[in-house]
Short mmCIF file of all heavy atoms in Angstrom, two decimals:
data_model
loop_
_atom_site.label_atom_id
_atom_site.label_comp_id
_atom_site.label_asym_id
_atom_site.label_seq_id
_atom_site.Cartn_x
_atom_site.Cartn_y
_atom_site.Cartn_z
N VAL S 315 38.72 -2.65 -3.09
CA VAL S 315 37.47 -2.53 -2.32
C VAL S 315 37.58 -1.39 -1.30
O VAL S 315 36.67 -0.54 -1.22
CB VAL S 315 37.19 -3.88 -1.59
CG1 VAL S 315 36.06 -3.72 -0.62
CG2 VAL S 315 36.78 -4.95 -2.61
N LEU S 316 38.66 -1.29 -0.56
CA LEU S 316 38.80 -0.28 0.46
C LEU S 316 38.88 1.10 -0.23
O LEU S 316 38.35 2.11 0.32
CB LEU S 316 40.04 -0.54 1.29
CG LEU S 316 39.93 -1.70 2.28
CD1 LEU S 316 41.24 -1.85 3.06
CD2 LEU S 316 38.79 -1.54 3.24
N LYS S 317 39.59 1.21 -1.34
CA LYS S 317 39.72 2.53 -2.01
C LYS S 317 38.35 3.05 -2.48
O LYS S 317 38.08 4.24 -2.37
CB LYS S 317 40.68 2.45 -3.18
CG LYS S 317 42.14 2.40 -2.76
CD LYS S 317 43.09 2.38 -3.96
CE LYS S 317 44.54 2.39 -3.54
NZ LYS S 317 45.45 2.41 -4.71
N GLN S 318 37.52 2.20 -3.01
CA GLN S 318 36.21 2.60 -3.49
C GLN S 318 35.34 3.08 -2.35
O GLN S 318 34.57 4.07 -2.46
CB GLN S 318 35.53 1.47 -4.23
CG GLN S 318 36.19 1.14 -5.56
CD GLN S 318 35.44 0.01 -6.32
OE1 GLN S 318 34.37 -0.36 -5.90
NE2 GLN S 318 36.06 -0.46 -7.37
N ILE S 319 35.43 2.40 -1.18
CA ILE S 319 34.64 2.82 -0.01
C ILE S 319 35.21 4.15 0.55
O ILE S 319 34.46 5.02 0.98
CB ILE S 319 34.58 1.73 1.04
CG1 ILE S 319 33.65 0.62 0.57
CG2 ILE S 319 34.13 2.23 2.38
CD1 ILE S 319 32.23 0.97 0.54
N LEU S 320 36.52 4.27 0.52
CA LEU S 320 37.12 5.51 1.09
C LEU S 320 36.78 6.74 0.28
O LEU S 320 36.76 7.83 0.78
CB LEU S 320 38.64 5.36 1.18
CG LEU S 320 39.12 4.35 2.27
CD1 LEU S 320 40.64 4.16 2.16
CD2 LEU S 320 38.78 4.89 3.67
N ARG S 321 36.50 6.55 -1.01
CA ARG S 321 36.13 7.70 -1.86
C ARG S 321 34.79 8.26 -1.36
O ARG S 321 34.54 9.45 -1.47
CB ARG S 321 35.99 7.28 -3.30
CG ARG S 321 37.31 6.98 -3.99
CD ARG S 321 37.14 6.93 -5.49
NE ARG S 321 38.22 6.18 -6.11
CZ ARG S 321 38.12 4.96 -6.57
NH1 ARG S 321 36.94 4.34 -6.50
NH2 ARG S 321 39.15 4.36 -7.11
N GLU S 322 33.89 7.39 -0.87
CA GLU S 322 32.61 7.86 -0.34
C GLU S 322 32.76 8.68 0.93
O GLU S 322 31.96 9.57 1.22
CB GLU S 322 31.69 6.67 -0.10
CG GLU S 322 31.46 5.78 -1.32
CD GLU S 322 30.68 6.48 -2.41
OE1 GLU S 322 29.95 7.44 -2.06
OE2 GLU S 322 30.72 6.01 -3.54
N LEU S 323 33.82 8.35 1.71
CA LEU S 323 34.03 9.10 2.97
C LEU S 323 34.79 10.37 2.77
O LEU S 323 34.86 11.17 3.73
CB LEU S 323 34.80 8.18 3.93
CG LEU S 323 33.99 7.00 4.54
CD1 LEU S 323 34.90 6.08 5.30
CD2 LEU S 323 32.90 7.55 5.49
N ALA S 324 35.37 10.58 1.61
CA ALA S 324 36.16 11.80 1.37
C ALA S 324 35.22 13.00 1.36
O ALA S 324 34.11 12.95 0.83
CB ALA S 324 36.92 11.72 0.06
N PRO S 325 35.62 14.17 1.93
CA PRO S 325 34.75 15.37 1.91
C PRO S 325 34.54 15.89 0.52
O PRO S 325 35.44 15.92 -0.28
CB PRO S 325 35.52 16.36 2.78
CG PRO S 325 36.92 15.92 2.73
CD PRO S 325 36.90 14.43 2.60
N ALA S 326 33.28 16.22 0.20
CA ALA S 326 32.95 16.73 -1.15
C ALA S 326 33.47 18.18 -1.30
O ALA S 326 33.29 19.01 -0.41
CB ALA S 326 31.44 16.64 -1.33
N LYS S 327 33.98 18.44 -2.49
CA LYS S 327 34.46 19.79 -2.82
C LYS S 327 33.43 20.49 -3.68
O LYS S 327 32.77 19.89 -4.52
CB LYS S 327 35.78 19.68 -3.57
CG LYS S 327 36.90 18.96 -2.86
CD LYS S 327 37.36 19.66 -1.63
CE LYS S 327 38.50 18.93 -0.95
NZ LYS S 327 38.98 19.60 0.26
N ILE S 328 33.32 21.81 -3.55
CA ILE S 328 32.40 22.58 -4.37
C ILE S 328 33.16 23.76 -4.94
O ILE S 328 34.18 24.20 -4.45
CB ILE S 328 31.19 23.04 -3.55
CG1 ILE S 328 31.65 23.97 -2.40
CG2 ILE S 328 30.39 21.89 -2.99
CD1 ILE S 328 30.48 24.59 -1.66
N SER S 329 32.56 24.26 -5.97
CA SER S 329 33.22 25.40 -6.65
C SER S 329 32.95 26.68 -5.90
O SER S 329 32.09 26.75 -5.02
CB SER S 329 32.65 25.55 -8.08
OG SER S 329 31.27 25.81 -8.02
N THR S 330 33.71 27.77 -6.25
CA THR S 330 33.53 29.05 -5.57
C THR S 330 32.16 29.63 -5.83
O THR S 330 31.52 30.23 -4.97
CB THR S 330 34.65 30.04 -6.05
OG1 THR S 330 35.91 29.42 -5.89
CG2 THR S 330 34.55 31.32 -5.29
N LEU S 331 31.63 29.42 -7.04
CA LEU S 331 30.31 29.92 -7.41
C LEU S 331 29.21 29.26 -6.55
O LEU S 331 28.37 29.95 -5.98
CB LEU S 331 30.01 29.69 -8.90
CG LEU S 331 28.67 30.18 -9.40
CD1 LEU S 331 28.54 31.69 -9.21
CD2 LEU S 331 28.50 29.82 -10.85
N ASN S 332 29.28 27.94 -6.44
CA ASN S 332 28.28 27.26 -5.62
C ASN S 332 28.41 27.65 -4.14
O ASN S 332 27.43 27.74 -3.43
CB ASN S 332 28.48 25.74 -5.71
CG ASN S 332 28.09 25.24 -7.09
OD1 ASN S 332 27.31 25.87 -7.78
ND2 ASN S 332 28.65 24.11 -7.51
N PHE S 333 29.63 27.93 -3.68
CA PHE S 333 29.82 28.34 -2.31
C PHE S 333 29.18 29.71 -2.07
O PHE S 333 28.56 29.95 -1.04
CB PHE S 333 31.34 28.40 -2.00
CG PHE S 333 31.59 28.94 -0.61
CD1 PHE S 333 31.40 28.18 0.48
CD2 PHE S 333 32.10 30.22 -0.50
CE1 PHE S 333 31.67 28.70 1.75
CE2 PHE S 333 32.34 30.75 0.74
CZ PHE S 333 32.16 29.97 1.87
N ARG S 334 29.35 30.61 -3.05
CA ARG S 334 28.74 31.96 -2.88
C ARG S 334 27.19 31.85 -2.87
O ARG S 334 26.55 32.54 -2.09
CB ARG S 334 29.21 32.85 -4.03
CG ARG S 334 30.70 33.23 -3.91
CD ARG S 334 31.18 34.02 -5.11
NE ARG S 334 32.58 34.43 -5.01
CZ ARG S 334 33.22 35.03 -5.98
NH1 ARG S 334 32.61 35.36 -7.10
NH2 ARG S 334 34.50 35.32 -5.79
N ARG S 335 26.65 30.98 -3.72
CA ARG S 335 25.23 30.80 -3.72
C ARG S 335 24.69 30.29 -2.41
O ARG S 335 23.68 30.73 -1.89
CB ARG S 335 24.82 29.89 -4.88
CG ARG S 335 24.95 30.49 -6.25
CD ARG S 335 24.65 29.46 -7.32
NE ARG S 335 24.81 30.04 -8.65
CZ ARG S 335 24.69 29.32 -9.77
NH1 ARG S 335 24.43 28.00 -9.70
NH2 ARG S 335 24.84 29.92 -10.92
N THR S 336 25.43 29.30 -1.87
CA THR S 336 25.02 28.74 -0.59
C THR S 336 25.06 29.75 0.53
O THR S 336 24.16 29.86 1.36
CB THR S 336 25.95 27.54 -0.23
OG1 THR S 336 25.91 26.62 -1.35
CG2 THR S 336 25.48 26.85 1.00
N THR S 337 26.15 30.57 0.53
CA THR S 337 26.24 31.60 1.58
C THR S 337 25.15 32.66 1.47
O THR S 337 24.57 33.07 2.44
CB THR S 337 27.62 32.26 1.44
OG1 THR S 337 28.66 31.26 1.47
CG2 THR S 337 27.85 33.23 2.62
N PHE S 338 24.80 33.05 0.19
CA PHE S 338 23.75 34.03 0.01
C PHE S 338 22.39 33.49 0.50
O PHE S 338 21.66 34.21 1.20
CB PHE S 338 23.67 34.38 -1.49
CG PHE S 338 22.53 35.28 -1.81
CD1 PHE S 338 22.53 36.64 -1.50
CD2 PHE S 338 21.36 34.79 -2.44
CE1 PHE S 338 21.50 37.47 -1.79
CE2 PHE S 338 20.29 35.63 -2.69
CZ PHE S 338 20.37 36.95 -2.43
N LEU S 339 22.10 32.26 0.20
CA LEU S 339 20.78 31.67 0.66
C LEU S 339 20.77 31.58 2.19
O LEU S 339 19.72 31.82 2.82
CB LEU S 339 20.60 30.27 0.04
CG LEU S 339 20.32 30.24 -1.48
CD1 LEU S 339 20.29 28.83 -1.96
CD2 LEU S 339 19.02 30.97 -1.78
N ASN S 340 21.89 31.22 2.80
CA ASN S 340 21.90 31.13 4.26
C ASN S 340 21.68 32.45 4.92
O ASN S 340 20.99 32.59 5.95
CB ASN S 340 23.25 30.53 4.73
CG ASN S 340 23.41 29.09 4.30
OD1 ASN S 340 22.39 28.42 4.03
ND2 ASN S 340 24.64 28.61 4.24
N GLN S 341 22.26 33.51 4.31
CA GLN S 341 22.05 34.84 4.86
C GLN S 341 20.60 35.28 4.72
O GLN S 341 20.03 35.93 5.58
CB GLN S 341 22.98 35.82 4.19
CG GLN S 341 24.47 35.60 4.54
CD GLN S 341 25.40 36.52 3.74
OE1 GLN S 341 24.92 37.22 2.83
NE2 GLN S 341 26.64 36.55 4.15
N GLN S 342 19.98 34.95 3.60
CA GLN S 342 18.59 35.34 3.35
C GLN S 342 17.66 34.64 4.33
O GLN S 342 16.69 35.22 4.84
CB GLN S 342 18.18 35.03 1.91
CG GLN S 342 18.87 35.90 0.88
CD GLN S 342 18.45 37.36 1.02
OE1 GLN S 342 17.29 37.66 1.28
NE2 GLN S 342 19.44 38.25 0.87
N LEU S 343 17.89 33.37 4.57
CA LEU S 343 17.01 32.60 5.48
C LEU S 343 17.33 32.87 6.95
O LEU S 343 16.56 32.50 7.82
CB LEU S 343 17.17 31.11 5.20
CG LEU S 343 16.65 30.64 3.85
CD1 LEU S 343 16.98 29.18 3.64
CD2 LEU S 343 15.15 30.83 3.76
N GLN S 344 18.48 33.49 7.24
CA GLN S 344 18.88 33.79 8.61
C GLN S 344 18.91 32.51 9.45
O GLN S 344 18.50 32.51 10.61
CB GLN S 344 17.94 34.79 9.26
CG GLN S 344 17.85 36.10 8.52
CD GLN S 344 16.96 37.09 9.20
OE1 GLN S 344 16.57 36.88 10.35
NE2 GLN S 344 16.62 38.19 8.52
N VAL S 345 19.37 31.43 8.85
CA VAL S 345 19.39 30.14 9.55
C VAL S 345 20.81 29.74 9.88
O VAL S 345 21.13 29.40 10.98
CB VAL S 345 18.68 29.07 8.72
CG1 VAL S 345 18.83 27.70 9.37
CG2 VAL S 345 17.24 29.43 8.54
N LEU S 346 21.69 29.78 8.85
CA LEU S 346 23.05 29.32 9.00
C LEU S 346 24.00 30.49 8.92
O LEU S 346 23.81 31.39 8.13
CB LEU S 346 23.41 28.27 7.95
CG LEU S 346 22.56 26.98 7.98
CD1 LEU S 346 22.97 26.10 6.81
CD2 LEU S 346 22.76 26.25 9.26
N GLN S 347 25.10 30.41 9.68
CA GLN S 347 26.14 31.41 9.63
C GLN S 347 27.13 31.06 8.54
O GLN S 347 27.30 29.89 8.23
CB GLN S 347 26.85 31.51 10.96
CG GLN S 347 25.94 31.95 12.10
CD GLN S 347 25.44 33.38 11.93
OE1 GLN S 347 26.13 34.16 11.31
NE2 GLN S 347 24.27 33.69 12.48
N PRO S 348 27.79 32.00 7.94
CA PRO S 348 28.83 31.69 6.93
C PRO S 348 29.92 30.86 7.58
O PRO S 348 30.22 30.98 8.78
CB PRO S 348 29.33 33.05 6.45
CG PRO S 348 28.26 34.00 6.84
CD PRO S 348 27.62 33.46 8.07
N PRO S 349 30.59 30.01 6.82
CA PRO S 349 31.67 29.17 7.40
C PRO S 349 32.82 30.05 7.87
O PRO S 349 33.09 31.14 7.35
CB PRO S 349 32.11 28.29 6.21
CG PRO S 349 31.61 29.03 4.98
CD PRO S 349 30.39 29.75 5.42
N GLU S 350 33.49 29.54 8.90
CA GLU S 350 34.56 30.33 9.53
C GLU S 350 35.76 30.47 8.57
O GLU S 350 36.33 31.51 8.44
CB GLU S 350 35.00 29.66 10.80
CG GLU S 350 33.86 29.59 11.87
CD GLU S 350 34.31 28.88 13.11
OE1 GLU S 350 35.49 28.45 13.16
OE2 GLU S 350 33.51 28.80 14.06
N SER S 351 36.08 29.38 7.92
CA SER S 351 37.24 29.42 7.03
C SER S 351 36.80 29.42 5.59
O SER S 351 36.10 28.54 5.11
CB SER S 351 38.10 28.17 7.29
OG SER S 351 39.20 28.12 6.38
N LEU S 352 37.14 30.47 4.82
CA LEU S 352 36.79 30.59 3.42
C LEU S 352 37.81 29.92 2.53
O LEU S 352 37.56 29.70 1.36
CB LEU S 352 36.67 32.05 3.02
CG LEU S 352 35.58 32.84 3.78
CD1 LEU S 352 35.60 34.28 3.31
CD2 LEU S 352 34.21 32.25 3.55
N SER S 353 38.99 29.55 3.08
CA SER S 353 40.03 28.98 2.24
C SER S 353 39.90 27.50 2.12
O SER S 353 40.52 26.87 1.25
CB SER S 353 41.42 29.32 2.84
OG SER S 353 41.50 28.80 4.18
N SER S 354 39.17 26.87 3.03
CA SER S 354 39.07 25.42 2.97
C SER S 354 38.30 24.93 1.77
O SER S 354 38.60 23.87 1.20
CB SER S 354 38.40 24.87 4.21
OG SER S 354 37.07 25.37 4.33
N GLY S 355 37.26 25.65 1.31
CA GLY S 355 36.50 25.25 0.10
C GLY S 355 35.56 24.09 0.35
O GLY S 355 35.04 23.56 -0.60
N GLU S 356 35.33 23.70 1.62
CA GLU S 356 34.45 22.54 1.89
C GLU S 356 33.03 22.99 1.85
O GLU S 356 32.69 24.12 2.18
CB GLU S 356 34.80 21.90 3.20
CG GLU S 356 36.18 21.29 3.27
CD GLU S 356 36.41 20.57 4.55
OE1 GLU S 356 35.54 20.67 5.40
OE2 GLU S 356 37.51 19.95 4.72
N ASN S 357 32.17 22.06 1.50
CA ASN S 357 30.73 22.37 1.41
C ASN S 357 30.15 22.42 2.77
O ASN S 357 30.30 21.50 3.57
CB ASN S 357 30.06 21.26 0.56
CG ASN S 357 28.59 21.60 0.37
OD1 ASN S 357 28.15 22.69 0.64
ND2 ASN S 357 27.86 20.59 -0.12
N THR S 358 29.47 23.54 3.09
CA THR S 358 28.77 23.70 4.37
C THR S 358 27.43 23.07 4.25
O THR S 358 26.55 23.57 3.57
CB THR S 358 28.65 25.19 4.74
OG1 THR S 358 29.96 25.74 4.69
CG2 THR S 358 28.04 25.33 6.13
N LYS S 359 27.19 21.94 4.94
CA LYS S 359 25.92 21.21 4.78
C LYS S 359 24.89 21.75 5.78
O LYS S 359 25.23 22.09 6.92
CB LYS S 359 26.17 19.73 5.04
CG LYS S 359 27.00 19.10 3.90
CD LYS S 359 26.92 17.62 3.97
CE LYS S 359 27.65 17.02 2.80
NZ LYS S 359 27.54 15.56 2.77
N VAL S 360 23.69 21.81 5.36
CA VAL S 360 22.59 22.34 6.19
C VAL S 360 22.28 21.30 7.26
O VAL S 360 22.05 20.13 6.97
CB VAL S 360 21.34 22.60 5.34
CG1 VAL S 360 20.21 23.09 6.22
CG2 VAL S 360 21.69 23.63 4.28
N LYS S 361 22.29 21.72 8.50
CA LYS S 361 22.02 20.80 9.61
C LYS S 361 20.56 20.78 9.99
O LYS S 361 20.11 19.95 10.78
CB LYS S 361 22.87 21.21 10.82
CG LYS S 361 24.35 21.07 10.61
CD LYS S 361 25.14 21.37 11.86
CE LYS S 361 26.63 21.21 11.62
NZ LYS S 361 27.41 21.54 12.86
N MET S 362 19.77 21.75 9.45
CA MET S 362 18.37 21.82 9.80
C MET S 362 17.54 21.02 8.82
O MET S 362 17.77 21.12 7.61
CB MET S 362 17.92 23.29 9.81
CG MET S 362 16.43 23.48 10.26
SD MET S 362 15.93 25.20 10.12
CE MET S 362 17.06 25.99 11.24
N PRO S 363 16.58 20.21 9.30
CA PRO S 363 15.68 19.52 8.34
C PRO S 363 14.95 20.52 7.45
O PRO S 363 14.67 21.63 7.82
CB PRO S 363 14.75 18.76 9.28
CG PRO S 363 15.46 18.65 10.56
CD PRO S 363 16.30 19.85 10.65
N GLN S 364 14.61 20.03 6.24
CA GLN S 364 14.07 20.93 5.25
C GLN S 364 12.73 21.55 5.70
O GLN S 364 12.48 22.70 5.44
CB GLN S 364 13.83 20.16 3.96
CG GLN S 364 13.46 20.99 2.77
CD GLN S 364 14.58 21.90 2.31
OE1 GLN S 364 15.74 21.62 2.55
NE2 GLN S 364 14.24 23.00 1.64
#
Side-chain angles (χ1 to χ4, degrees):
V315 168
L316 289 180
K317 283 183 177 180
Q318 290 182 9
I319 286 293
L320 289 174
R321 290 195 201 104
E322 304 292 340
L323 288 170
K327 303 293 183 179
I328 61 173
S329 63
T330 307
L331 179 60
N332 290 336
F333 174 75
R334 290 176 179 175
R335 289 176 180 175
T336 305
T337 307
F338 174 75
L339 290 174
N340 292 340
Q341 292 175 350
Q342 292 295 320
L343 293 173
Q344 302 181 13
V345 174
L346 297 176
Q347 297 295 333
E350 297 179 359
S351 177
L352 298 178
S353 60
S354 62
E356 295 184 357
N357 184 12
T358 306
K359 292 194 174 183
V360 178
K361 296 183 179 180
M362 183 184 298
Q364 188 68 23

